[in-house]
Amino acid sequence: MNEESKTLNKYICFNLGVEKYAIPLLTVKEVIRVPEITAVPQTAPYFLGIMNLRGQVISIMDLRKKLNLKESNSVETTVMILNFGKNQLGVMVDCVNYVVSLSDNDISEKPVVSSAHNTDYISGVYRKDNELILILDIVKALSVEELQQLGMAA
Amino acid sequence: MDDFEIELKIGFLEEAEQAITEVESCFLILESDSMNIENINKIFRLAHNLKGSSKAVGFDEFGAFTHEFETFILKIKNGALSCTPAVVNILLQANDHIQLMINGLKSNLAATFDSANLLNQMKNYSEMPAVKNIDKLNPVTEIVSDVSTERYEPTIEELLAMAEAQEALAANQSKMILKPVIELVKTASPTVANAKQPQTVDESIRVALSKVEALLNSVGEMVILQSVLKEQVLGHENEALKKTVIQLSKISKEIQDSSMSLRMTAVKPTFQKMQRIVRDTAQALNKEINFVLKGEDTELDKTVLEKINDPLVHLIRNSVDHGIENSMIRTANNKSEKGTVILSAYHQSGKLVIEVSDDGGGLNPEKLRTKAIEKNIISENQKLTDDECRNLIFAAGFSTKEAVTDVSGRGVGMDVVKTNITELNGEIKITSVLGQGTTFKIILPLTLAIIDSLIVSSCDHKFAVPLTHVHETLRPTFQQIQKNQNIGETLLLRGENLPMYRVGDFFGLRSHLETTDLIALVVRSGEKPFCLMVDDILVQNEIVTKPLGLELQNLKGISGSTILADGKPALILEPQDLILRKKTEFRTNHKVIEKNERSNDRLRVA
């Protein structure tokens, strides 16, 4: 590790289909297996429902559907419970791989791609050997403010 | 003094202590930001409440002092005094004095104090700085607070001597302030001498709400795990293990019950406090009042109960003061000489209702309107319905009595009432018939409480329906069902035609069951009765409401969520809102118009 690299931040890496993503570790409260979920009728397709986390009722989103990723055969096995201030939210992902410590130098800007999709929620890219890991801005990715309108839409 | 009165007084002292801590920080803001109107208003309200409650529980001296205190603050509020450091000093001084009185009263409920010096300062204070000796007085105040802590026993003699010595020393400047020290020490000494006398021990503790909630969460989880454990042990042969599990489940049930009850208290003490208020107010005004209490055993969340106290005091005072006419007018109007004020509490539609009603003169909409125009609350050409006129009394700065009495009528009361109730997510309604009386109806949600519910299923989804909404349940027979082109199916029940709504329809869920296979929950909590159709009723249970995340709080027809016995969450339905959900789908435009109208109303009244 060279001296130039500044403070290290920890990221948690996970899979969505064949793609690999990472978010800052500190936003994650805990990682659990997919619990029993109670569906909430008439909500968006990516809104899976509500779950019981030790006496607390928490909403769960399907991150793959939320980001409009292609359907894949992989099975989603894991839920990450995220902290947004006082509010907590669960997101379902395929699996959680590992935690890495990265400095800002390790993260390069996202390549400019012409895409119809809004890619605002990708804040950077980390290359490791042959792997490409996309760093997510999870607040943007879940459009947390937008979610609060969800009930209105239903 | 009976036990009950002592309890009341001690309760008040606890409240007062909180209030003055709050006031103190406000005073400090005042010094740095004297133009902060909100801050001044808050101080005024706190002082006003302090005055009101102290008189209610019978601390007359305390009340007299806080009355002057309030008047002084009113001068600042009106701009007659500017917030110079000297003024703030007096305020803080007065605050210290109140603290002193509280401490003194705590150790001896009959303690008396000499407040003349401060009273004079407050009464006669002008822009001239006449209070140079305040700083010198401060050390004395410190001694005073030392005395009032509970550890004075061993040093009582010393203190007495010390205080007397100080008195001699500082006789010229601070005689008036020192006197209470002597008083206090003197009144304290008998307690020490007579050690057998039981000391007033505070038997309640204040616990942060978040802690209670954390406890309830953990207990809920424990109960669920408990039932899982019970299942797992079924296949076991080990008798000792089984026995232990059964015992454990009994205890966890007990823990659950007692932790649930932590939050709930009967309204009784709060209601009984009002008796004193009615008596004193009636005496001061020379009126005869028959005060009736109903439903005192109704339980309410502690936090809600605490916050409803001040609004109730105001409402009751208003009823006695403004509501009930004097006996001459009453006899002239063919009414009994004695006025009646009824305070009642009951549950309705899953909410708690507290009513204050009197058989007095009623509210005169015209009079209120004229008054509001006078006070610049509304403009002259504004058209208001009678109901809107009555609601004017909740506007800030509205008071129909000219003279400022210590009973009511400074134009803060009703304003505070409304604010406090709105803070609790409640509402207040007035019904009044001119010449016959006025009823204030406070409707409070029981959101924090435990709700008795039916767990129902509809199209494989489980929902909880609060039992308070359900009047009866039945399986409709073929003969009872009538089909109508416009309103769909209706249920003919004992001569009544009730519209039937399938729960699934509101959530886009299709049920293939015939109507005769469904169960009808008859809902009568609203203005119009209707039936909510579900597939099955699974169980009747006490449930604890859990808040939903922000992303789900706007769901219409759903008041929250709960965790069922199997550990899975379920949504709690709010039938009244639920059936609106369907209507809004068909009449979206109409809803927008309604909304606009409502916001206009608010503008006009405010």
Side-chain angles (χ1 to χ4, degrees):
Chain A
M1 203 170 293
N2 65 42
E3 281 179 32
E4 272 175 42
S5 68
K6 293 159 209 161
T7 44
L8 289 172
N9 294 313
K10 285 187 172 174
Y11 291 84
I12 187 166
C13 300
F14 55 90
N15 282 15
L16 292 177
V18 290
E19 294 167 26
K20 291 183 191 305
Y21 292 87
I23 56 170
L25 185 65
L26 287 178
T27 51
V28 183
K29 185 186 169 225
E30 59 186 285
V31 176
I32 56 171
R33 275 199 289 176
V34 176
E36 279 194 275
I37 298 172
T38 302
V40 177
Q42 283 193 335
T43 44
Y46 59 82
F47 192 89
L48 292 169
I50 49 180
M51 63 164 282
N52 168 16
L53 180 75
R54 294 188 302 279
Q56 217 183 337
V57 176
I58 294 177
S59 305
I60 300 191
M61 321 259 156
D62 185 328
L63 194 55
R64 213 159 33 167
K65 282 199 182 122
K66 175 67 192 163
L67 300 182
N68 286 318
L69 301 181
K70 272 186 207 135
E71 293 283 326
S72 88
N73 293 328
S74 59
V75 186
E76 291 165 305
T77 60
T78 308
V79 169
M80 298 191 293
I81 309 293
L82 309 177
N83 272 326
F84 294 105
K86 279 183 184 171
N87 207 12
Q88 293 180 338
L89 213 55
V91 292
M92 190 151 92
V93 298
D94 285 12
C95 60
V96 167
N97 301 323
Y98 46 78
V99 173
V100 283
S101 296
L102 303 176
S103 74
D104 287 351
N105 295 344
D106 296 327
I107 300 170
S108 42
E109 278 191 28
K110 65 178 170 195
V112 184
V113 282
S114 62
S115 160
H117 282 308
N118 178 10
T119 55
D120 271 359
Y121 52 77
I122 297 171
S123 58
V125 174
Y126 165 61
R127 271 171 236 273
K128 183 193 174 198
D129 308 328
N130 289 331
E131 274 182 343
L132 194 68
I133 298 173
L134 299 173
I135 313 283
L136 276 187
D137 182 334
I138 194 69
V139 175
K140 277 187 189 151
L142 292 175
S143 34
V144 175
E145 292 87 28
E146 222 175 272
L147 287 175
Q148 293 171 14
Q149 310 285 322
L150 203 89
M152 299 288 252
Chain B
M1 219 184 309
D2 57 17
D3 286 355
F4 177 64
E5 208 173 339
I6 292 173
E7 210 177 292
L8 274 188
K9 288 190 171 178
I10 290 172
F12 162 74
L13 290 174
E14 274 172 34
E15 274 170 37
E17 196 149 40
Q18 278 198 325
I20 64 159
T21 338
E22 222 174 318
V23 162
E24 191 158 60
S25 56
C26 288
F27 286 156
L28 298 173
I29 297 172
L30 194 66
E31 200 161 24
S32 54
D33 181 10
S34 60
M35 299 316 283
N36 190 336
I37 309 253
E38 251 182 64
N39 188 41
I40 296 175
N41 281 340
K42 189 177 171 193
I43 295 172
F44 187 53
R45 275 176 202 173
L46 284 168
H48 186 69
N49 289 341
L50 210 54
K51 177 194 80 171
S53 313
S54 60
K55 291 206 167 176
V57 297
F59 287 140
D60 292 339
E61 223 180 294
F62 197 104
F65 184 79
T66 40
H67 178 72
E68 218 42 61
F69 188 46
E70 188 198 7
T71 316
F72 188 67
I73 295 166
L74 190 67
K75 280 187 205 160
I76 300 172
K77 194 183 166 206
N78 293 342
L81 283 178
S82 50
C83 300
T84 57
V87 169
V88 177
N89 263 344
I90 293 192
L91 287 172
L92 288 173
Q93 187 94 357
N95 214 34
D96 285 346
H97 188 69
I98 293 171
Q99 174 76 61
L100 167 86
M101 290 200 281
I102 291 171
N103 287 338
L105 288 168
K106 264 189 178 170
S107 39
N108 180 358
L109 287 177
T112 52
F113 304 92
D114 192 345
S115 327
N117 187 24
L118 266 173
L119 282 177
N120 282 335
Q121 276 186 26
M122 287 197 286
K123 264 185 201 161
N124 306 325
Y125 188 85
S126 60
E127 292 297 320
M128 291 295 290
V131 278
K132 275 185 181 166
N133 54 348
I134 275 182
D135 290 333
K136 292 174 196 161
L137 291 177
N138 276 344
V140 182
T141 326
E142 270 161 34
I143 294 168
V144 168
S145 43
D146 276 347
V147 172
S148 43
T149 56
E150 280 158 23
R151 275 165 288 144
Y152 48 65
E153 284 103 319
T155 57
I156 199 90
E157 242 69 63
E158 288 168 42
L159 263 173
L160 197 60
M162 194 168 120
E164 261 160 357
Q166 283 250 359
E167 191 188 34
L169 266 175
N172 297 329
Q173 318 169 327
S174 53
K175 200 170 185 177
M176 302 311 236
I177 286 294
L178 251 168
K179 247 187 168 171
V181 179
I182 314 296
E183 291 271 358
L184 229 164
V185 176
K186 278 177 185 161
T187 51
S189 357
T191 328
V192 181
N194 189 359
K196 276 174 204 161
Q197 203 177 24
Q199 282 217 321
T200 46
V201 183
D202 188 358
E203 283 182 351
S204 61
I205 49 165
R206 276 173 194 276
V207 181
L209 198 59
S210 56
K211 284 187 185 171
V212 176
E213 250 153 31
L215 175 70
L216 285 179
N217 267 340
S218 312
V219 169
E221 192 64 15
M222 183 187 72
V223 169
I224 291 158
L225 284 177
Q226 176 66 47
S227 53
V228 174
L229 180 65
K230 226 172 160 180
E231 294 275 311
Q232 285 173 347
V233 93
L234 277 178
H236 268 273
E237 294 294 315
N238 191 335
E239 283 303 315
L241 179 66
K242 278 187 180 174
K243 208 174 161 189
T244 316
V245 169
I246 290 170
Q247 278 174 340
L248 190 65
S249 71
K250 270 186 196 161
I251 290 179
S252 53
K253 176 84 181 111
E254 271 171 35
I255 294 176
Q256 188 189 19
D257 286 349
S258 51
S259 59
M260 294 287 187
S261 67
L262 285 180
R263 307 184 55 111
M264 305 296 281
T265 42
V267 297
K268 201 170 191 165
T270 309
F271 271 29
Q272 284 179 339
K273 236 189 254 183
M274 303 302 154
Q275 263 170 337
R276 180 68 188 261
I277 288 164
V278 171
R279 209 192 75 191
D280 290 358
T281 316
Q283 251 172 15
L285 295 163
N286 232 341
K287 288 180 181 175
E288 262 192 277
I289 306 285
N290 177 23
F291 186 54
V292 184
L293 290 178
K294 284 181 187 167
E296 298 144 272
D297 292 327
T298 314
E299 284 203 328
L300 183 59
D301 199 286
K302 174 94 163 87
T303 39
V304 181
L305 191 64
E306 274 172 5
K307 289 193 177 152
I308 205 66
N309 182 55
D310 291 338
L312 270 185
V313 172
H314 285 296
L315 283 178
I316 298 265
R317 283 231 192 94
N318 269 312
S319 284
V320 177
D321 189 8
H322 304 290
I324 304 284
E325 323 88 322
N326 63 42
S327 55
M328 272 174 36
I329 300 177
R330 286 187 71 89
T331 33
N333 286 338
N334 266 338
K335 285 183 179 178
S336 71
E337 216 170 285
K338 217 173 181 183
T340 304
V341 175
I342 304 170
L343 177 62
S344 54
Y346 55 92
H347 288 276
Q348 191 182 58
S349 322
K351 308 214 164 167
L352 182 100
V353 182
I354 297 178
E355 274 186 9
V356 179
S357 58
D358 62 64
D359 65 345
L363 292 169
N364 186 339
E366 260 322 296
K367 226 168 148 185
L368 294 171
R369 209 182 97 89
T370 324
K371 192 81 191 174
I373 295 169
E374 231 172 76
K375 297 238 169 185
N376 271 331
I377 292 166
I378 55 167
S379 70
E380 207 158 324
N381 39 24
Q382 255 179 319
K383 281 194 179 129
L384 298 180
T385 66
D386 283 1
D387 272 339
E388 284 167 337
C389 287
R390 288 186 197 110
N391 277 311
L392 283 171
I393 59 170
F394 295 120
F398 188 93
S399 174
T400 46
K401 281 230 162 163
E402 286 301 331
V404 169
T405 62
D406 64 350
V407 175
S408 54
R410 246 182 191 142
V412 280
M414 295 308 261
D415 165 29
V416 182
V417 168
K418 181 97 179 181
T419 329
N420 286 7
I421 291 170
T422 322
E423 268 172 22
L424 293 169
N425 282 329
E427 45 178 333
I428 181 160
K429 287 180 182 168
I430 315 173
T431 43
S432 179
V433 180
L434 201 57
Q436 287 178 26
T438 309
T439 300
F440 290 95
K441 194 171 177 181
I442 305 171
I443 303 161
L444 296 167
L446 290 173
T447 44
L448 302 165
I450 306 147
I451 319 174
D452 228 346
S453 293
L454 289 178
I455 312 299
V456 300
S457 72
S458 176
C459 312
D460 293 331
H461 282 266
K462 285 181 192 170
F463 297 100
V465 182
L467 209 57
T468 40
H469 288 289
V470 183
H471 189 257
E472 63 180 292
T473 61
L474 62 122
R475 194 183 287 277
T477 61
F478 187 71
Q479 289 80 11
Q480 283 178 305
I481 300 166
Q482 298 184 328
K483 285 198 172 137
N484 183 303
Q485 283 276 306
N486 295 319
I487 44 172
E489 287 179 319
T490 58
L491 178 78
L492 188 65
L493 180 68
R494 295 187 290 271
E496 243 181 324
N497 243 331
L498 309 174
M500 295 203 269
Y501 300 100
R502 287 184 182 217
V503 169
D505 287 353
F506 299 110
F507 296 106
L509 307 168
R510 275 275 154 245
S511 165
H512 300 292
L513 293 170
E514 288 295 318
T515 312
T516 45
D517 291 329
L518 299 176
I519 294 175
L521 313 178
V522 182
V523 179
R524 288 188 191 275
S525 50
E527 280 173 27
K528 286 183 181 150
F530 59 90
C531 292
L532 215 51
M533 308 304 292
V534 298
D535 293 0
D536 201 0
I537 296 175
L538 303 173
V539 69
Q540 180 186 329
N541 243 343
E542 279 193 337
I543 57 163
V544 183
T545 55
K546 304 270 178 181
L548 284 167
L550 284 173
E551 64 280 353
L552 285 177
Q553 276 177 0
N554 291 322
L555 278 182
K556 209 177 176 97
I558 289 167
S559 62
S561 64
T562 185
I563 292 169
L564 300 178
D566 61 359
K568 281 182 72 176
L571 298 170
I572 303 172
L573 298 181
E574 181 73 37
Q576 300 293 345
D577 287 348
L578 188 70
I579 61 162
L580 288 178
R581 191 180 162 112
K582 195 174 190 179
K583 278 181 191 161
T584 47
E585 267 174 23
F586 293 124
R587 297 155 56 190
T588 329
N589 288 333
H590 185 76
K591 189 192 161 198
V592 174
I593 296 164
E594 245 179 29
K595 237 186 185 171
N596 283 344
E597 272 176 6
R598 214 173 290 156
S599 56
N600 277 346
D601 280 354
R602 208 168 290 153
L603 277 180
R604 261 185 267 156
V605 174

